[in-house]
Each structure stands twice: as structure tokens, then as C-alpha cells.
Amino acid sequence: MSRFRVFFLLLLGLLLAGPGYAQQQPATPTPKAEPTKPRKLSRKERKELARRAALDAASRQRVNLSEKDRELSESFFVDGVRFLLLEDYNKALERLLKAYALNPTNAAINYKIAETNLLSGNLRDATNFALAAVKLDPQNAYYYLLLAQVYSSQKQYEEAIQTYTTLIKVVPNSGPYLFNLADLYMAQGKLNEALATFEQAEQKFGPLDEVSFKKQQIYLKQNNLDKALQEGEALITANPDEVRYVLAQAQMYATNNRLPDAIRVAEQALKQDPDNPRAHMILADVYRQQKNSQESERQLKLAFESPSLDIDNKVRILVDFIKQLPNPDLNQTAQELAAITTRVHPKEAKAFSIAGDIQTVSGNRSAARSNYLKAIRLDNSRYQIWQQVVLIDAELSQVDSLLLHTNQALELFPNQAPLWFYNGVGYQLNKQPTKAVKSLEYGRKLATDNPELLAQFDTQLGDTYHELKDYPKSDAAYEAALTFDANNAQALNNYSYYLSLRGEKLERAKEMAGKLVKQNPENDTYLDTYGWVLYRLKDYTGARQQLEKALKTTTDATVVEHYGDVLFRLGEVDKALAEWQRAKKLGGASSLIDRKIKDKKLYE
């Protein structure tokens, strides 16, 4: 015998040595043994076992080969298997086909060629070679399994079912494959066949928990609730210490509107495991269906108190609450659940984030920001949370916080245009227009693919350039904003008002202010702007009408002072003086108000 032949047989002996696997054909159990379902192998274990079987089969030749051809065929085969395990399918197929050319009636070679073709996506050749392998060695279970897999990959489920059926019938000790067959029947919706196959497996191996669960699924799909519940009760009886079976039964009762039974079984679960969150969740849902909101909330809070109800489940429940908020009947409960979540999961950023979301929707902005900042301290990588903090800063007009948080966020997210926008707004509100322009212009470059945001930048730049007295840039920015949205209220109001102060383009200012008032006839700010534009055009009667409308809803000192100026132009000096005095008393009038009152004269 050649040295290669000795080496090959030694290698084969080593590969076939060692402990058995659960997927190998089991010995017939003795009557006293506890029936159990064979353990399912991992993918790695199945591949290793199949490799051993293939090598074993390859050592048995069906045709008379010369010693040289035998060695050459075995060499190609071993090389092919090695490349297959390395997932180099082209080289594997090349070697295996050379082995096949020398020995085409070898079942193991056909099997490995079929497997390689399956893995590389050539299903037609995989089918042909798998069929050949089964024909050449009809007692090898692995060949049937591969053939069934090839058929399933092509959605030829009837052929796959027939392959499993033949395997179980022809190959001794193939009972474990009843489970594969039953699962295939279930996947095809052949529920009666699946049920019969599971029952056949139970006759062979005894009651199995997994089979009971699958039979329950079948009964439920068949709308046979009683049978499904019977399976559940049998599971509980057979496993009295397994609370998961009790919970599954309670859930089934609840899902099928058998609410008193659901409560009974869920409470049974709590006797076994008093802090079980799932039992409390089932009870919370049942009591909700029974319109017992107080008890439902109590059970829900008990579930939330449990650390074993993971944070993701709690977040999902709180998200459902958010969809129903704001709601006076739910606000308090949602906030209490959020508070429990942050207390039970103090190191989870998402706990504080969802609490912030609930408080935001409920209108508690300060508390929301506090929770968002706690979330950021635990995990500062989520831009959406920073965005929420910045928005709240802006809504609360807390300029110092706005600048602090936008600057911190921009260190992490320098390419986020909205952060630059609010950073610029913060500097503008803080009377730092030069820094504001710098931030706004930089952010504007990042917003070129977002026309709406770009228009917001342009509007804000219009305001900021006006403060810097760079009027050409201010006007250009406003015009750009209005090109995108001709009804941009901030741009229409501020642009027309600033033009009136400068006494420039007054007809354009009148057009914009008039359009805005037409769209918002009761807005006192817009009425004041329109009135002042008319004043600058010397239409004092028109200005008076607009300002008197504005004064119905505002006591703003600027509007009152403007009204006094109009009255003075109309020759009503005493009334004008009274309005100036009122404006001074209100606070916030112009720096000229004292001279106007003292001299009873208009200064502009």
C-alpha cells in the first residue's frame, strides 16, 4: 500500500474517532428511559459530521480503479473538501469534479459536488448530483437531508417533503427527522399533516415541550382554542415548576378574551414568582380590557419596578403612551412610569431620553431638558437628544444655556447645520452679531440641500446683518428667504419694518407689510409694522387705523409711542402727549421719549 493510502486511512480514522453527536442515528431507547427529543446540532457540528461521513464514504469505491487512479481520486476529493471548508467554492468544485471524472459512481463525491453547487448558488447541478448521491447510497441520511435542502432552496416544497418522507421510511433510526418534516409541513400551511407528524414523533420519543408549543400554534391557526388550551394545561401539569408555561397559558387566555381565566392563571404565576414582570404585564392588559384603569396602572407600575423587564420593553410601552399624549387621563401615569424607569435603570441613557420625550409632549419643558441632559451624560453620541436640548433652550429663551449646549454639541456634530443655526441665534440674542454672522454663514453652507432650512438661515442673516448696519447684505438675505417662501412671516415683517426705519424702498415695504396683515389681520406686531410703514409714507390716517387695531390686543410701549407720533402728525398734540407719557410709563419706549414729552414735540 502506498504511503498516501496509509496516510489517508489514518486521517480517516482520526476524523471518524471521537464522541457521537445527537444527530447520529439514535439507539432504540429502553422502556425505562425518560423519552427526550434528540439535541439539535449546531451548523458547525452538522458540517463536521457530514465531512466525516463523506470521507468515510469516499474510502469505499464502487468501481475497480487502479491503485494510481484510486490515490489520485482520493487526493482530489480531500483537496476539494478542504477548499469547501475554506469556502473557496471554485477551487473546491474544480478538485471534486476531477475526483468525479475518475470515479463517477462514488456517492460521497456526488454529495460533495452537490453541496458545493448549493453553496455557490448553482441549484440545478446541486439537484442532479444530490439525486445521484441518494441513488448511489440510499441508506445515507445526510444525502437525503442535502437533497431536501436543495429542493427547499428552490421552493420545491413538495419534493422536499417527499425526500424527508423517503428518508424516514428507508433509513433506519431516522425518527428525529420527523421534526424536520413537521416543520416543513407547518411552513407550507399543511397543518393537519404537521399535526399528524408531530403526534407520530411523540409516539416515538414521548411528550416533548417544544412539540406541545408547536401543536398549540397549529390548533390556534385552526381556531381550535380548546385543544390549544389543553396542550397548555398539559405542559403546566408536566412541568409544575416552570412558570414560563403558566405565563404562556395566561397570555393565551388573555389574547382570546378569556379574561377571568387569564387573571386566574397569571395570579398562579405570581404565586410561583411574586415579582415576575410578565405576569404583571398580562394582568395590566386584562384589567385595561375590563376598563379597570386603576388596577391596570397598578400592575403596570409593578412590572416597571422589576429590573428583569428590560429597558427596551419599557421604552416600547412608553412610546405607546407618547402616541396618546397629551391626554389629561394619561399624563400623570406616563410620567410616573418614566420616573420608575429612570430610577430602576439609572445607567441607561434611553431611560432618561424617553422620560424627556414624555415630559416634552406633556409640556414640562424644564424637566424634559433635565432628563435629556442626564441621557447625554450617559451617552453623548445621539444627535437627536442634543437637538431636543437646544430646541428647549431656544423655546425658553435661555440664551446662556443655548450657547453652552450648541457649542458643546458642535464639538461632536460639526456638520449639523441646525446646531449652527441655533448657535447663531444664541449669539444674536446675546448681542454678539459678529459671532452670530460667522455661525450662520458657516451653517448656511451645510444646508444647501435643505431649502427650508436655508430660508431660515437667510431670514436670520437678514436680521443680523441689519444689526451690523450692513444693509445690502441684510436686504439680499431677506430677498433670498422670500424667493423660497414668499409668505415667510418673519422675513416679511422684519424686512419691511427695517426698510421703514431706514426710509428706503417704502413701496416694497408697504407691499410686504400689507400682504402680511392681510394674512394675519389680528396680529398686533404685524399691524404695528404696517402702520409704521404707512407713517413713513405720510399716510397718517391709514397708519392711525392700523395702530388702533394693534392697540386692541397689545400695550407694548413701542406701539403706543408710534400711535402718539401718528396723532402728533395729525395735529392732535394733547392726545399724542398722553400716549407718549403712557409709553414711558409702560417701559421700553425709544430713547427720544423724554424729549418728546418735555418739549411736546415730535423727534425722529
Side-chain angles (χ1 to χ4, degrees):
M1 180 180 293
S2 71
R3 285 181 294 172
F4 175 79
R5 179 66 174 166
V6 172
F7 167 76
F8 178 78
L9 292 177
L10 177 60
L11 172 64
L12 183 62
L14 290 172
L15 288 171
L16 294 176
Y21 290 81
Q23 193 170 324
Q24 289 177 303
Q25 297 163 355
T28 303
T30 61
K32 294 182 181 180
E34 181 70 21
T36 57
K37 178 182 175 180
R39 178 176 68 86
K40 287 188 176 180
L41 296 180
S42 67
R43 181 173 180 269
K44 183 178 180 181
E45 289 172 325
R46 289 199 303 272
K47 288 178 67 174
E48 174 62 17
L49 196 55
R51 183 174 71 89
R52 295 183 184 188
L55 288 169
D56 183 28
S59 68
R60 301 191 299 272
Q61 304 295 325
R62 285 177 173 263
V63 297
N64 293 323
L65 298 177
S66 67
E67 188 67 20
K68 180 179 178 181
D69 285 347
R70 186 185 305 278
E71 290 181 359
L72 192 56
S73 174
E74 291 170 349
S75 176
F76 285 137
F77 182 82
V78 170
D79 263 1
V81 171
R82 178 167 60 86
F83 282 118
L84 179 59
L85 294 174
L86 293 172
E87 299 183 358
D88 189 338
Y89 302 131
N90 290 332
K91 288 183 179 179
L93 195 58
E94 177 192 355
R95 300 321 193 265
L96 290 170
L97 286 173
K98 288 180 179 179
Y100 176 82
L102 292 167
N103 192 3
T105 61
N106 183 283
I109 294 174
N110 281 271
Y111 168 73
K112 279 297 170 184
I113 293 174
E115 183 182 3
T116 306
N117 278 303
L118 171 64
L119 293 172
S120 61
N122 186 352
L123 298 180
R124 184 179 65 179
D125 286 348
T127 304
N128 293 333
F129 281 100
L131 282 167
V134 168
K135 185 176 181 181
L136 289 166
D137 188 357
Q139 295 297 305
N140 192 311
Y142 299 108
Y143 300 170
Y144 290 95
L145 294 176
L146 179 65
L147 180 58
Q149 185 180 356
V150 172
Y151 281 136
S152 295
S153 297
Q154 300 173 87
K155 298 184 179 181
Q156 295 177 323
Y157 299 116
E158 289 296 332
E159 290 82 353
I161 288 171
Q162 185 57 50
T163 302
Y164 275 119
T165 303
T166 305
L167 162 63
I168 294 163
K169 182 179 180 180
V170 171
V171 180
N173 300 318
S174 294
Y177 302 117
L178 286 166
F179 301 106
N180 302 65
L181 179 58
D183 287 342
L184 191 55
Y185 277 131
M186 281 190 71
Q188 289 304 294
K190 296 186 174 183
L191 303 182
N192 289 331
E193 291 86 344
L195 196 58
T197 306
F198 278 131
E199 289 173 350
Q200 186 180 347
E202 283 189 320
Q203 290 173 5
K204 193 171 187 64
F205 298 107
L208 299 169
D209 295 350
E210 183 180 346
V211 171
S212 290
F213 273 123
K214 289 183 177 180
K215 286 171 70 177
Q216 277 186 325
Q217 294 174 21
I218 293 172
Y219 288 133
L220 288 172
K221 288 179 180 179
Q222 293 177 329
N223 294 319
N224 193 339
L225 179 60
D226 290 338
K227 279 282 189 181
L229 292 170
Q230 284 177 18
E231 286 291 335
E233 295 293 349
L235 273 172
I236 294 172
T237 301
N239 303 273
D241 296 329
E242 285 284 358
V243 71
R244 61 193 176 104
Y245 297 137
V246 181
L247 290 170
Q249 189 77 346
Q251 185 63 64
M252 192 180 303
Y253 278 125
T255 302
N256 290 278
N257 207 34
R258 297 271 292 270
L259 303 185
D261 287 323
I263 293 173
R264 171 180 58 80
V265 179
E267 288 178 345
Q268 178 183 338
L270 287 173
K271 289 178 182 177
Q272 294 176 245
D273 183 4
D275 296 323
N276 190 289
R278 188 180 170 195
H280 288 300
M281 290 294 296
I282 292 171
L283 286 171
D285 184 56
V286 170
Y287 286 123
R288 180 188 58 79
Q289 292 183 62
Q290 292 183 332
K291 310 298 183 185
N292 186 346
S293 58
Q294 184 176 356
E295 184 60 23
S296 176
E297 290 175 12
R298 190 180 77 86
Q299 293 292 339
L300 193 56
K301 289 173 184 176
L302 288 171
F304 268 58
E305 289 284 358
S306 173
S308 60
L309 180 63
D310 67 70
I311 182 65
D312 290 329
N313 276 320
K314 291 174 182 175
V315 167
R316 278 193 291 271
I317 294 167
L318 291 172
V319 167
D320 287 337
F321 270 93
I322 289 174
K323 293 175 182 177
Q324 303 173 67
L325 298 178
N327 182 330
D329 296 331
L330 295 177
N331 286 348
Q332 186 64 30
T333 300
Q335 292 189 45
E336 288 176 2
L337 290 172
I340 293 171
T341 304
T342 57
R343 175 165 48 78
V344 175
H345 303 277
K347 295 183 179 180
E348 287 281 1
K350 62 183 72 175
F352 293 97
S353 175
I354 192 68
D357 291 342
I358 285 176
Q359 287 157 342
T360 296
V361 177
S362 300
N364 193 346
R365 303 287 185 185
S366 295
R369 183 176 57 181
S370 176
N371 274 304
Y372 287 137
L373 290 172
K374 290 176 183 176
I376 285 171
R377 282 195 286 272
L378 292 167
D379 178 7
N380 67 0
S381 66
R382 290 185 58 196
Y383 167 68
Q384 292 84 355
I385 301 179
W386 282 102
Q387 189 176 41
Q388 287 295 99
V389 169
V390 168
L391 287 172
I392 293 173
D393 288 339
E395 288 174 4
L396 296 178
S397 300
Q398 296 184 357
V399 178
D400 291 342
S401 295
L402 181 61
L403 286 172
L404 172 66
H405 295 140
T406 51
N407 283 322
Q408 289 175 339
L410 283 169
E411 291 181 8
L412 299 168
F413 310 100
N415 295 323
Q416 287 291 345
L419 292 177
W420 287 105
F421 176 80
Y422 282 106
N423 186 250
V425 170
Y427 280 122
Q428 184 183 5
L429 293 174
N430 206 38
K431 306 302 181 186
Q432 295 177 274
T434 302
K435 288 186 176 180
V437 163
K438 184 177 179 181
S439 293
L440 291 168
E441 288 287 10
Y442 186 86
R444 189 184 187 282
K445 294 176 183 177
L446 300 173
T448 52
D449 59 343
N450 187 338
E452 186 174 352
L453 181 57
L454 197 63
Q456 293 181 38
F457 272 105
D458 286 327
T459 303
Q460 208 66 35
L461 281 166
D463 293 351
T464 311
Y465 277 124
H466 173 80
E467 289 184 35
L468 291 170
K469 295 182 169 42
D470 191 340
Y471 302 132
K473 286 186 177 180
S474 175
D475 291 356
Y478 284 132
E479 292 290 355
L482 291 170
T483 298
F484 171 73
D485 178 9
N487 295 315
N488 183 323
Q490 182 181 344
L492 288 171
N493 182 71
N494 292 5
Y495 189 19
S496 58
Y497 185 67
Y498 292 149
L499 287 176
S500 72
L501 292 180
R502 287 154 43 195
E504 298 176 5
K505 305 177 189 176
L506 292 176
E507 288 299 328
R508 171 72 169 137
K510 178 182 178 181
E511 174 193 348
M512 292 188 291
K515 178 179 182 179
L516 193 55
V517 165
K518 185 176 181 180
Q519 294 172 351
N520 304 273
E522 296 181 359
N523 185 297
D524 49 63
T525 299
Y526 302 158
L527 288 166
D528 175 58
T529 297
Y530 189 32
W532 196 244
V533 170
L534 295 175
Y535 174 87
R536 298 290 288 177
L537 284 165
K538 301 185 182 337
D539 181 0
Y540 303 124
T541 301
R544 178 177 189 167
Q545 290 174 350
Q546 299 303 319
L547 290 169
E548 285 178 348
K549 289 179 185 177
L551 289 170
K552 290 178 181 179
T553 56
T554 184
T555 56
D556 182 87
T558 299
V559 181
V560 174
E561 185 177 0
H562 283 168
Y563 184 51
D565 293 353
V566 169
L567 291 174
F568 186 90
R569 288 293 186 183
L570 289 170
E572 301 181 28
V573 178
D574 291 339
K575 288 183 179 180
L577 179 59
E579 293 302 321
W580 289 336
Q581 290 171 335
R582 184 160 73 100
K584 177 178 172 59
K585 186 175 181 181
L586 288 169
S590 74
S591 59
L592 298 172
I593 193 68
D594 288 332
R595 290 180 64 193
K596 291 178 182 179
I597 294 170
K598 180 181 178 182
D599 298 339
K600 297 181 182 181
K601 184 177 179 182
L602 179 62
Y603 292 99
E604 296 180 329

